[in-house]
Amino acid sequence: MDQLPILIPLPLLVMALVVPVVALARPGAAFPLTLAAVAASATASALALAAVLDDGPMSYALGGWAPPLGIEYVVDHVAAYVSVVVTSVSLLVIVGTRRWAVREAGDRLGPFYGLVLLLLAGLTGMVVTGDLFNLFVFLEISSLAAYALVFMGGRAGMVAGFRYLVLGTIGGALYLLGVGFVYFATGTLNMADVLSILEADSSGRAVQAGAVLIFTGLGLKMALVPLHLWLPDAYTHAPSSVNTLIAPVMTKVGAYAMLRMFLSVFPDGYLRDAVPVADALLVLGLAGIVLGSVAAMAQTDLRRMLAYSSIANLAMIAVGLGIGTPLALVAALLHVMNHAVMKAALFSSVASVRLATGSSSVGGLAGIGRRMPLTMAAFTLGAVSMVGIPPTAGFFSKWYMAQAGLQDGQWLVAVVVLGSSLMTAVYLFRVLERAYLHPVPLVAGAAPDAPPAAAVQEAGESPADVVWPALALGLATVVLGLLNVVIVTRVLEPGV
Amino acid sequence: MVWELELALFGLLVVSAIVALQLRDLIAAVAALSVYSFMAAALLAMMGAVDVAFTEAALGAGITGVLFIGAISLMHRRSVD
Amino acid sequence: MTEQHDSIILNFVVRVLLVPFIFVFGVYVLVHGEASPGGGFQAGAIVAAGLVLARLTTGSEHGERRISTRVLLWLASAGIGIYVLAGIVPLLAGVNFLDYAALPVEWFNAVAGHERTNRAMGIFIVEVGIFIGVFSVLVILYDHLTERFTDD
Amino acid sequence: MKWLTAALLLPLAALLIYVSADLPDRGDPDAPANLHLSPELVEVTERDIEIPNIVTAVLADVRGYDTLGETLVVFTAGLAVLLVLMRGARPRDSGRSNER
Amino acid sequence: MIEEIAARFPYWATAALIVIGLYGMIAKRSLVKKLIGMNILQSAIILFFIAGSLREGASVPILFEEGAVARAEDFVNPLPHVLMLTAIVVGVAITGVALAFLVRIREEFGTLDEESLLEQVRR
């Protein structure tokens, strides 16, 4: 049981090496092997979470070299929690997108699933690591895999993938540069060690510059507002098997890395008093919520709409970090999970709709609610949670966030959070209205980019292995909403 | 080490970086990039980082240059900037 | 890039004199990486460069010299697999991941189980794994970058 | 566009140069980075690892997990190239996956 | 003045290189030039780390004499070297993938000019 921390990324790493080779001979084996690895990793994460809840944070010295010298894995409440979220959401998503993967990757299933595993290995590695440079290495693994997977998505995906690569590399380089400044000021790379040295003496411009550069780099990776330009195209044009996976988990881990900087790298209050990072996050976050929501309202393609809504929701997490009180951090962390689950539900159901009708435009959805009741039920649950209506999970993170804002005297936060709920309602309920209340069009070409009406008329429900993961994610928003008190008091509050 | 020599090399490095970015002929630009990498490797060796210098020469200058040329030779050589 | 150069002299110089020398140098860099600059990454790059040089002079249309992507992928997986195994074996022995001191390499030295030697041995094993992995991935990269033709 | 970029990058340049005044002098033996971990690494290499090249020892053993991650980056690159360029995998579905 | 230059010039030079590289990545329209800028940026960061790890009067981090007691002050700080070895390899991997993207984009669009690519996609 002492070995639990390494067992979180290890199955993914090992299987990433095995899958491409096995798939050369038996392409059909790629999917079950991938699934087994992700399931193993999810199990390890869950066990780690249980162990942390019982015995407190775990530290693991890789190679047996004691921490400041070697690399350390730190599994505390927050890390175990995020790792459980990432692995279990991706488990469901991978099941649900199998058909898309077969269609989109064709005879390249081996490399495809290898990259998916490496992406997840990178993300889980980032989550549990306690070393600044190790974070960079795993960040690059997951980013590189994501660039290639996005690039797979046809002509537009190619351009989006290349731009993603250029901007993502700039983000990685700025992060590395920031780590360099911190290293030259403190002489160490271990997060806990950096913290203790900075607590003794945190004066000096080098650390300030390091903090600014690290947050700019991570801001690029998590698509904070002026740096979000890569995200809409990448999410829209990525293949369905890919955006369903990266939209829920990828940027969330970037946000988590930022939170890590707050919690265990820079001393308490340093990012507020010595460098204006927290204020910048607050302002940019508020701007991002507004801009993302407004842009989402203007979209006619579901995937692009959800991409802009992702920007708004990530900005909400940034707002939580910017306020910086324990309550706000709890709200941000809760939103990390909630948004991962509901975005996965929404993207999965969009993938299911595209599988049946071949289109993801809002215009083409008329009457789809009766044709594909289960898929649209999942979509509705995700949408309701996204808007933030009480029994669902989305309500609680927004509620905590507004409360944290009011407590801190930032009434603007509460206003913007409430406003974002209204705007989300506008763009998502428009979809629901069309899906449930409009009749199926009888004339082809009712909307310019709609599929032929026949496609919607003939569309039945997608196969069970596509629908049920989406529905499970949709139901999870309700379950997690009901369980939120337990999650907050047992997992999050001890963690921040 | 004599720091003036390092300073001179750094100056050359900046010049070759600008040249690599401004050349219109892509093969020439890649050649300039290789020159840049080799000078960086020399500088790294001067600063006592022999392992890094070796790697930069083998991977950064060698392999990167080969991959660039391999990819570009299939394309138009002129860039529009 | 793949047209055949029919110069016998070029062919001879490169394939008989230069490439074997580069390969030997690469292996030297790998084996000597523990005492002097060098190691798996550099050796992999050098040997891959040697192979690329051979491809450049003689053209890669000739099937004889091609190592297929299939084999290269196997090699890459196996090479990095060696590294991961060097981490997992200590894990099975009950100590932390990548703790080379627990590697079962006593057969190598008479002073059985001496930790210092074990670690050196572990490093060597790992470097060999890196070498194989880096070499094969670089050749995959080169092959696929240069093999696709556009019509102009 | 070019001028906009330049306008964005000049503050960065100014920041980097402004901050450099606070970095340790070139070759300063008392810089934090030279005092904190580097002596331990030399000691540990001499005591626990039977190879003379400190960089190799630290690379492959003390920070061996970083190096494992690094080889995985290389492997990722290999898989990425296969996914993008593998022959026989013509983008026959690019039209379909590209519809808006 | 001279001392100031002697103590700081590596940082200034690497700052200049970083900015040049970023400029190439953002402002250049040719995708190949963007990648050249990316390589300049990566090398600049490597130089930055190594320049910061210098130690006056220290030698290459290799223990030459077996058995002789090594004094830590005799060696350059090895940790940045290790980190930068990793960074170089990561950089080459990214460059390789980016070049694969280029080849594929060239095949599909017939151009590597960013403006005309975006135009073609928007159409």
Side-chain angles (χ1 to χ4, degrees):
Chain A
M1 279 302 109
D2 299 336
Q3 310 287 349
L4 263 181
I6 188 65
L7 293 181
I8 296 173
L10 193 59
L12 303 168
L13 295 184
V14 173
M15 213 47 103
L17 298 175
V18 174
V19 163
V21 175
V22 171
L24 286 176
R26 315 174 128 265
F31 172 74
L33 287 176
T34 306
L35 204 61
V38 180
S41 175
T43 315
S45 308
L47 289 175
L49 181 62
V52 169
L53 288 181
D54 289 343
D55 310 325
M58 286 185 275
S59 160
Y60 184 83
L62 285 150
W65 295 99
L69 207 55
I71 295 167
E72 184 189 18
Y73 262 10
V74 179
V75 182
D76 55 8
H77 291 81
V78 180
Y81 159 82
V82 175
S83 153
V84 168
V85 170
V86 168
T87 47
S88 43
V89 167
S90 29
L91 186 67
L92 285 172
V93 167
I94 287 172
V95 174
T97 53
R98 185 181 65 88
R99 282 164 198 274
W100 272 113
V102 170
R103 182 184 286 192
E104 284 166 338
D107 46 4
R108 291 165 297 174
L109 272 179
F112 174 83
Y113 276 117
L115 286 171
V116 166
L117 284 167
L118 284 165
L119 174 84
L120 292 174
L123 293 180
T124 48
M126 278 170 78
V127 169
V128 288
T129 192
D131 190 277
L132 288 171
F133 191 77
N134 195 244
L135 180 73
F136 167 76
V137 173
F138 279 80
L139 180 73
E140 290 298 346
I141 295 179
S142 61
S143 304
L144 202 50
Y147 306 149
L149 289 172
V150 168
F151 190 85
M152 212 174 73
R155 279 167 69 88
M158 288 179 191
V159 178
F162 193 87
R163 286 166 68 87
Y164 185 17
L165 182 140
V166 168
L167 288 173
T169 310
I170 293 179
L174 290 180
Y175 173 81
L176 183 58
L177 198 57
V179 170
F181 277 105
V182 172
Y183 173 68
F184 288 133
T186 61
T188 182
L189 292 162
N190 184 279
M191 290 182 186
D193 208 20
V194 172
L195 180 64
S196 68
I197 290 174
L198 288 185
E199 266 170 354
D201 170 28
S202 64
S203 62
R205 294 178 216 156
V207 186
Q208 292 175 356
V212 171
L213 288 168
I214 285 177
F215 274 87
T216 317
L218 291 178
L220 250 168
K221 294 278 183 188
M222 80 171 266
L224 198 60
V225 144
L227 310 171
H228 68 283
L229 293 170
W230 58 268
L231 189 141
D233 280 341
Y235 280 15
T236 313
H237 300 302
S240 276
S241 48
V242 173
N243 62 13
T244 316
L245 182 68
I246 65 175
V249 293
M250 185 98 191
T251 38
K252 245 53 94 229
V253 173
Y256 164 84
M258 273 197 183
L259 183 95
R260 222 352 98 215
M261 299 297 147
F262 272 91
L263 289 180
S264 47
V265 178
F266 294 102
D268 211 19
Y270 181 80
L271 295 170
R272 175 174 316 280
D273 308 328
V275 240
V277 166
D279 292 335
L281 283 179
L282 187 61
V283 173
L284 296 178
L286 291 175
I289 295 179
V290 175
L291 284 178
S293 305
V294 170
M297 285 196 285
Q299 301 307 320
T300 55
D301 182 278
L302 275 173
R303 290 176 295 168
R304 208 171 181 79
M305 176 196 287
L306 293 179
Y308 277 108
S309 124
S310 272
I311 292 175
N313 281 283
L314 286 161
M316 177 108 74
I317 297 169
V319 167
L321 299 179
I323 300 173
T325 57
L327 183 63
L329 293 182
V330 166
L333 274 168
L334 197 61
H335 203 62
V336 166
M337 173 182 75
N338 293 346
H339 185 243
V341 173
M342 56 207 191
K343 250 308 139 44
L346 290 172
F347 266 108
S348 304
S349 34
V350 171
S352 164
V353 169
R354 282 191 71 214
L355 193 68
T357 69
S359 159
S360 64
S361 78
V362 177
L365 285 178
I368 199 87
R370 261 154 291 162
R371 299 280 169 188
M372 307 179 69
L374 294 176
T375 300
M376 286 318 287
F379 188 92
T380 309
L381 284 170
V384 164
S385 174
M386 197 70 101
V387 175
I389 291 173
T392 53
F395 167 74
F396 294 98
S397 40
K398 290 195 175 183
W399 174 250
Y400 284 117
M401 190 69 76
Q403 256 193 331
L406 290 175
Q407 218 176 51
D408 203 46
Q410 314 264 12
W411 53 268
L412 191 61
V413 172
V415 172
V416 170
V417 168
L418 187 69
S420 84
S421 273
L422 290 177
M423 286 191 273
T424 313
V426 170
Y427 62 74
L428 283 178
F429 286 172
R430 192 183 59 178
V431 177
L432 295 183
E433 183 236 27
R434 196 169 272 274
Y436 284 110
L437 301 181
H438 279 221
V440 180
L442 295 173
V443 202
D449 47 357
V456 176
Q457 277 177 331
E458 287 162 15
E461 192 57 89
S462 294
D465 61 330
V466 178
V467 173
W468 284 105
L471 201 58
L473 286 163
L475 290 172
T477 60
V478 179
V479 174
L480 292 173
L482 297 175
L483 287 178
N484 86 88
V485 181
V486 183
I487 296 171
V488 168
T489 51
R490 286 217 56 203
V491 182
L492 295 182
E493 276 174 354
V496 297
Chain B
M1 285 292 164
V2 201
W3 66 267
E4 286 89 349
L5 190 58
E6 258 178 52
L7 179 60
L9 261 176
F10 263 120
L12 281 176
L13 215 53
V14 173
V15 172
S16 60
I18 294 175
V19 168
L21 271 182
Q22 292 302 337
L23 279 175
R24 286 289 165 94
D25 185 328
L26 289 177
I27 298 280
V30 171
L33 182 68
S34 285
V35 169
Y36 168 88
S37 284
F38 266 116
M39 277 197 292
L43 203 47
L44 292 169
M46 277 179 70
M47 293 195 273
V50 275
D51 273 275
V52 187
F54 193 176
T55 317
E56 173 74 20
L59 279 161
I63 293 289
T64 307
V66 168
L67 292 182
F68 258 108
I69 302 273
I72 291 174
S73 60
L74 305 177
M75 304 169 186
H76 284 307
R77 285 179 56 171
R78 313 293 294 183
S79 88
V80 200
D81 268 348
Chain C
M1 188 131 283
T2 50
E3 75 265 34
Q4 171 133 32
H5 301 283
D6 275 332
S7 157
I8 295 173
I9 295 177
L10 183 69
N11 207 335
F12 175 78
V13 168
V14 170
R15 292 187 59 194
V16 179
L17 296 180
L18 208 50
V19 171
F21 174 74
I22 291 176
F23 281 14
V24 171
F25 180 60
V27 173
Y28 169 84
V29 167
L30 170 69
V31 177
H32 237 254
E34 314 200 331
S36 64
F41 290 104
Q42 295 92 329
I46 288 168
V47 173
L51 206 73
V52 165
L53 187 61
R55 295 264 169 89
L56 277 177
T57 47
T58 51
S60 55
E61 306 248 296
H62 287 260
E64 32 160 344
R65 275 175 311 276
R66 303 256 314 118
I67 311 178
S68 75
T69 300
R70 180 176 285 264
V71 173
L72 286 169
L73 189 61
W74 264 103
L75 278 176
S77 271
I80 300 166
I82 292 175
Y83 201 147
V84 176
L85 270 183
I88 293 181
V89 168
L91 204 62
L92 297 178
V95 296
N96 284 6
F97 192 68
L98 284 175
D99 194 341
Y100 304 143
L103 282 179
V105 284
E106 288 84 8
W107 45 264
F108 172 72
N109 58 317
V111 204
H114 197 299
E115 280 199 11
R116 281 189 81 207
T117 326
N118 266 11
R119 287 191 190 281
M121 220 26 221
I123 290 176
F124 181 69
I125 292 171
V126 159
E127 293 275 3
V128 171
I130 295 174
F131 164 72
I132 299 172
V134 169
F135 159 76
S136 25
V137 169
L138 287 179
V139 176
I140 290 179
L141 245 65
Y142 178 81
D143 278 357
H144 284 263
L145 279 180
T146 51
E147 275 232 329
R148 290 175 89 95
F149 270 81
T150 42
D151 15 23
D152 50 2
Chain D
M1 182 62 191
K2 293 195 176 181
W3 291 111
L4 182 72
T5 320
L8 281 172
L9 290 178
L10 282 178
L12 176 70
L15 172 82
L16 291 178
I17 288 172
Y18 168 74
V19 162
S20 74
D22 205 47
L23 285 172
D25 289 359
R26 172 181 169 280
D28 180 8
D30 295 324
N34 280 339
L35 290 180
H36 185 36
L37 284 185
S38 115
E40 283 99 315
L41 287 174
V42 176
E43 264 168 44
V44 146
T45 305
E46 204 190 14
R47 193 183 60 230
D48 292 338
I49 306 169
E50 197 180 347
I51 66 170
N53 186 342
I54 305 174
V55 173
T56 304
V58 177
L59 181 83
D61 195 350
V62 182
R63 290 188 75 86
Y65 193 62
D66 268 353
T67 311
L68 176 58
E70 177 187 356
T71 44
L72 283 170
V73 173
V74 174
F75 188 67
T76 313
L79 288 187
V81 170
L82 287 184
L83 184 75
V84 171
L85 293 179
M86 193 147 75
R87 263 200 194 287
R90 296 305 311 132
R92 54 190 148 68
D93 55 348
S94 75
R96 195 162 18 143
S97 64
N98 191 33
E99 104 283 329
R100 310 188 322 123
Chain E
M1 183 59 200
I2 293 290
E3 282 103 57
E4 182 67 10
I5 294 178
R8 302 266 170 258
F9 73 86
Y11 302 127
W12 297 342
T14 46
L17 289 174
I18 286 168
V19 171
I20 292 172
L22 281 174
Y23 175 80
M25 285 180 87
I26 300 171
K28 289 285 174 186
R29 279 173 56 183
S30 159
L31 300 192
V32 180
K33 288 289 176 68
K34 278 179 190 288
L35 294 191
I36 290 178
M38 191 169 97
N39 272 283
I40 294 173
L41 174 66
Q42 281 159 348
S43 297
I45 292 177
I46 289 155
L47 285 166
F48 170 76
F49 267 81
I50 300 300
S53 76
L54 273 174
R55 188 205 297 260
E56 207 64 65
S59 81
V60 175
I62 294 176
L63 304 163
F64 280 112
E65 295 150 59
E66 191 64 34
V69 179
R71 295 187 316 136
E73 309 86 79
D74 293 343
F75 301 102
V76 187
N77 181 359
L79 189 51
H81 298 193
V82 173
L83 307 183
M84 288 308 107
L85 277 172
T86 307
I88 291 176
V89 177
V90 169
V92 172
I94 297 178
T95 307
V97 174
L99 286 171
F101 286 9
L102 278 191
V103 171
R104 193 71 188 79
I105 287 179
R106 171 82 176 93
E107 212 176 63
E108 188 77 27
F109 293 87
T111 177
L112 286 176
D113 176 48
E114 196 182 31
E115 301 287 319
S116 81
L117 281 180
L118 288 175
E119 231 164 72
Q120 287 193 41
V121 169
R122 281 203 199 99
R123 238 188 304 120

